[in-house]
Amino acid sequence: VTDAVDSDDRPREWAPELPLRTQRLLLREHRMTDLDDLAVFHGDERTTRYLPWPVRSRDDTRTALLKKLSQHRAQAEGDWLVLAIEEASSGRVIGEVDLRRGRPGHAEIGYVVRRDAEGKGLASEAVRELLRLAAEEFGVTTVVARIVPGNEASVRFAERHGFVRDAEGDSLDPENPTLAYRWTR
Ligand SMILES: CC(C)(COP(=O)(O)OP(=O)(O)OC[C@H]1O[C@@H](n2cnc3c(N)ncnc32)[C@H](O)[C@@H]1OP(=O)(O)O)[C@@H](O)C(=O)NCCC(=O)NCCS
């Protein structure tokens, strides 16, 4: 399988039709009105501990949210698709899932849910849908998760979703070491 292409052979933009719906969730673009919800987990030291994010004040969260507003499509290699996870029953944004576009057939994944949404299978529901989208819509066959050493919750989560350790993909950057886990379709 190769990356989906237009008839002129240029890779097509990753622009999913939103929202994507699962049993309990909507995956959708971010909106400025999500600020209150985002401030909850962007400002949570425990949730952000292993993320490449600082703990954010409300103002910093607003700045981060501004960038996310347009990231519901990924045009070029290296671009992140960033989707809000909305809980259908409450309308609250409880987290986000991300898919970074790599070379054709490849992507990197990211996921986070706020603390009081953990342990309910909600993150799993979102990630299953994102992997389906990547494979079916974008022709992705290999997805990497980069996990900071010590983030055992994320390792267990990745393994439950079929990711396997890929030591060759590790980043040894002393400033930002990460362990690679790989999913293949
Ligand atoms: C990693 C992370 C997304 C995992 O979230 P999670 O809620 O534990 O994951 P799941 O959605 O798979 O939920 C599984 C848990 O819900 C329970 N559960 C309850 N109802 C469930 C249901 N209907 N379906 C599936 N699981 C259910 C499972 O038993 C499991 O509990 P356990 O961990 O005690 O065994 C979350 O810990 C997180 O956001 N961490 C902070 C951000 C982060 O570090 N991200 C990763 C960066 S690489």
Side-chain angles (χ1 to χ4, degrees), residues 24 46-48 50-51 109-114 117-125 128 145-148 151 153-154 156-157 160-161:
R24 294 174 289 175
R46 201 183 84 182
T47 298
T48 56
Y50 297 110
L51 293 179
I109 196 168
Y111 39 80
V112 53
V113 293
R114 55 189 267 174
E118 283 182 287
K120 299 177 180 170
L122 292 168
S124 277
E125 211 170 294
R128 269 198 301 274
R146 300 197 182 284
I147 302 179
V148 172
N151 192 353
S154 182
R156 280 198 309 276
F157 180 83
R160 276 206 302 279
H161 288 277

Side-chain angles (χ1 to χ4, degrees), residues 86-176:
E86 180 184 312
E87 187 179 44
S89 61
S90 64
R92 291 187 314 176
V93 171
I94 56 159
E96 75 175 51
V97 280
D98 310 316
L99 195 68
R100 186 185 199 197
R101 187 168 179 157
R103 64 184 192 277
H106 292 252
E108 179 178 342
I109 196 168
Y111 39 80
V112 53
V113 293
R114 55 189 267 174
R115 220 195 284 189
D116 63 6
E118 283 182 287
K120 299 177 180 170
L122 292 168
S124 277
E125 211 170 294
V127 160
R128 269 198 301 274
E129 178 61 13
L130 192 69
L131 290 172
R132 184 205 63 75
L133 176 80
E136 290 181 12
E137 307 287 329
F138 307 148
V140 168
T141 54
T142 305
V143 179
V144 66
R146 300 197 182 284
I147 302 179
V148 172
N151 192 353
E152 295 307 325
S154 182
V155 168
R156 280 198 309 276
F157 180 83
E159 287 179 340
R160 276 206 302 279
H161 288 277
F163 285 76
V164 294
R165 187 81 178 89
D166 174 22
E168 283 182 19
D170 288 357
S171 163
L172 304 174
D173 175 359
E175 298 283 296
N176 181 28

